Amino acid sequence: MKKRVLQIITRSDWTGAQKVLYTIVYGLKMYYPELFDVEVAAGKENGMLFEELEKMNVKYHVIENLVREIDPVRDLKAYFEIKRLIKHGNYDIVHAHSSKAGFLARIAAKKCGVKKVIYTYHGFWGIEQYSGLKKKLLIWAERFAARYSDHLVFLCNREKEKAQKYRIGKPSQYVIIPNAIMPIGNIQKGKLRRELGIPDHVKIVGNVARLDRPKNPIRFLQVAEKVVQERDDVIFVWIGGSIVEDFYAKQVQQYLDERPWLKEKVKILGFRKDAIELMADFDVLLLTSDNEGVPLVVLEAQQLGIPVVSTDVGCVEEMGTSVVSMNSTKELIKLVENILSGNVKNKLNPTGDFRDFVKKYVFTYLG
């Protein structure tokens, strides 16, 4: 008989963790349809994940009270919603993603007698953005939820070491499965250049990310400001908009309003579903994040053969990209300039094999 699998995540938008969940579901349906029957549950914000699942005919469930913000009343309601779903769904495996869903679903699953409960850590931003008592409480919550987990999946050794430092779970629970993406089709260059009217001789330094605090778009603008002062043959392009809050979008706009001359050299395009087609025109991918797991945009850049410059966050160093200290904007500027000038050969490791990525999760489900 097929194993019934529930994938659950807090929000139903279309960002990194949701794309990873989608990739797992796609792989299970494509390569292991005789072994697994997969369903997905998520909060209703903002529904783009559900749209993609419908295209695959994957059944999904909306958890009405599952939200990102801490809200004791709604969180308790969400817990009972999840528990009812798991109980009625008779799942053999519950695989949770993201902090809120991960905490509630793991406890609910074990209370319902689910034999295999798995949680994937997509980075530690949920803990590391805080300090003091709040950080200690969140670490305690992760330690508590780990008791209701059979496997804790990390994206690289560095993330596993963080769990050990925070004393979350036990080594016997630890599994490392680096993210992978589905093979990118034959994408023709030129779409972004045509849209923005950028000549072929002008270099494009870009990023594809949310305009949110972990992605640090202000650092991206600081690098852009210094580089375009040194050379006039470069344009900076940020593809992505705010998902959780508008605060950082407003900060970006304020930064540009205070430097009107920079608006000609920096383009903010907002969220685009065709982002991967646009980024094919990048000459450099510049990741300026304060926190990451395995950023999918780096995997996409590697498949497209685009040099990557990144802050030293998450698993990026283990992905074979050029990495500098997180706080050294000067080093970011220098490295971007050197790559644009052809003075540095960027390390581009081949991306992880998509089928091997899915197979590792299958072994975790069945092991």
Side-chain angles (χ1 to χ4, degrees):
M1 291 181 62
K2 292 184 179 182
K3 299 283 187 183
R4 286 183 50 74
V5 181
L6 177 68
Q7 301 276 344
I8 183 166
I9 194 164
T10 304
R11 292 172 57 94
S12 57
D13 45 30
W14 191 241
T15 56
Q18 287 77 11
K19 290 180 180 179
V20 173
L21 181 154
Y22 175 89
T23 300
I24 294 169
V25 172
Y26 178 91
L28 295 178
K29 284 183 67 67
M30 176 67 68
Y31 302 120
Y32 302 93
E34 74 288 351
L35 292 181
F36 301 104
D37 181 16
V38 188
E39 297 178 2
V40 176
K44 60 185 177 182
E45 298 176 286
N46 61 14
M48 293 184 68
L49 172 63
F50 296 146
E51 294 173 12
E52 298 301 320
L53 293 171
E54 284 178 354
K55 296 174 185 177
M56 284 200 296
N57 295 316
V58 172
K59 185 176 181 179
Y60 63 84
H61 307 270
V62 179
I63 310 299
E64 292 289 337
N65 288 289
L66 185 55
V67 295
R68 179 178 178 270
E69 298 75 20
I70 296 175
D71 183 329
V73 174
R74 296 194 70 180
D75 294 345
L76 187 61
K77 290 180 178 178
Y79 171 77
F80 286 112
E81 282 185 78
I82 294 167
K83 194 173 181 181
R84 282 194 298 272
L85 171 62
I86 293 172
K87 186 174 181 179
H88 294 153
N90 196 29
Y91 299 104
D92 302 287
I93 300 159
V94 170
H95 184 177
H97 309 256
S98 71
S99 301
K100 179 74 75 67
F103 183 82
L104 299 176
R106 283 184 279 173
I107 297 171
K110 281 302 181 185
K111 294 291 185 182
C112 290
V114 176
K115 291 184 171 58
K116 187 63 65 77
V117 178
I118 296 159
Y119 179 57
T120 294
Y121 284 87
H122 297 276
F124 278 84
W125 175 249
I127 290 174
E128 293 176 338
Q129 64 180 307
Y130 301 110
S131 60
L133 180 61
K134 192 165 187 178
K135 183 174 182 178
K136 290 179 180 179
L137 287 172
L138 290 169
I139 292 171
W140 175 87
E142 286 296 336
R143 290 174 184 166
F144 182 78
R147 302 175 189 174
Y148 295 85
S149 312
D150 295 289
H151 297 293
L152 303 174
V153 178
F154 305 101
L155 306 183
C156 62
N157 280 301
R158 190 181 203 176
E159 297 293 281
K160 182 194 74 172
E161 290 166 1
K162 287 184 180 181
Q164 291 173 320
K165 180 182 75 173
Y166 296 137
R167 302 198 306 279
I168 296 171
K170 298 177 289 187
S172 60
Q173 296 172 286
Y174 295 172
V175 180
I176 295 177
I177 304 179
N179 283 343
I181 58 174
M182 292 179 278
I184 297 172
N186 185 23
I187 293 178
Q188 299 298 315
K189 291 187 176 183
K191 187 172 184 177
L192 179 61
R193 290 185 179 276
R194 287 192 299 271
E195 182 173 320
L196 298 181
I198 301 174
D200 289 342
H201 74 277
V202 173
K203 304 289 187 181
I204 301 175
V205 178
N207 192 13
V208 180
R210 306 184 310 274
L211 282 175
D212 289 335
R213 181 155 51 125
K215 305 299 183 180
N216 203 333
I218 299 301
R219 182 182 284 131
F220 183 87
L221 296 178
Q222 291 169 342
V223 175
E225 183 178 359
K226 295 300 182 183
V227 173
V228 300
Q229 286 174 345
E230 296 295 325
R231 49 192 303 160
D232 61 3
D233 65 339
V234 59
I235 294 285
F236 283 72
V237 179
W238 183 291
I239 303 172
S242 297
I243 294 206
V244 177
E245 57 184 345
D246 290 332
F247 176 77
Y248 288 92
K250 292 175 181 176
Q251 279 211 326
V252 167
Q253 189 59 51
Q254 180 181 341
Y255 193 99
L256 293 174
D257 287 343
E258 292 171 355
R259 301 161 180 82
W261 59 270
L262 192 57
K263 291 181 180 180
E264 297 181 8
K265 295 292 187 177
V266 176
K267 307 298 179 184
I268 309 294
L269 299 191
F271 175 81
R272 295 285 293 264
K273 269 209 162 182
D274 61 347
I276 196 163
E277 298 174 51
L278 299 175
M279 70 179 285
D281 284 342
F282 288 1
D283 293 283
V284 180
L285 175 74
L286 172 61
L287 196 73
T288 53
S289 301
D290 289 331
N291 194 283
E292 291 283 354
V294 170
L296 300 186
V297 67
V298 172
L299 297 176
E300 292 166 347
Q302 288 177 319
Q303 278 205 30
L304 293 169
I306 300 168
V308 179
V309 174
S310 174
T311 45
D312 184 9
V313 289
C315 304
V316 172
E317 186 174 30
E318 296 178 44
M319 299 170 71
T321 62
S322 289
V323 180
V324 298
S325 169
M326 184 177 68
N327 295 316
S328 180
T329 302
K330 287 184 179 180
E331 288 298 315
L332 284 174
I333 294 165
K334 182 178 179 181
L335 191 51
V336 168
E337 289 178 337
N338 284 339
I339 291 177
L340 291 175
S341 300
N343 297 328
V344 171
K345 293 298 181 183
N346 193 263
K347 295 182 293 180
L348 279 175
N349 287 358
T351 56
D353 180 76
F354 166 62
R355 293 191 67 163
D356 185 56
F357 163 77
V358 178
K359 188 185 296 184
K360 287 177 180 176
Y361 271 110
V362 170
F363 287 159
T364 304
Y365 293 167
L366 299 180

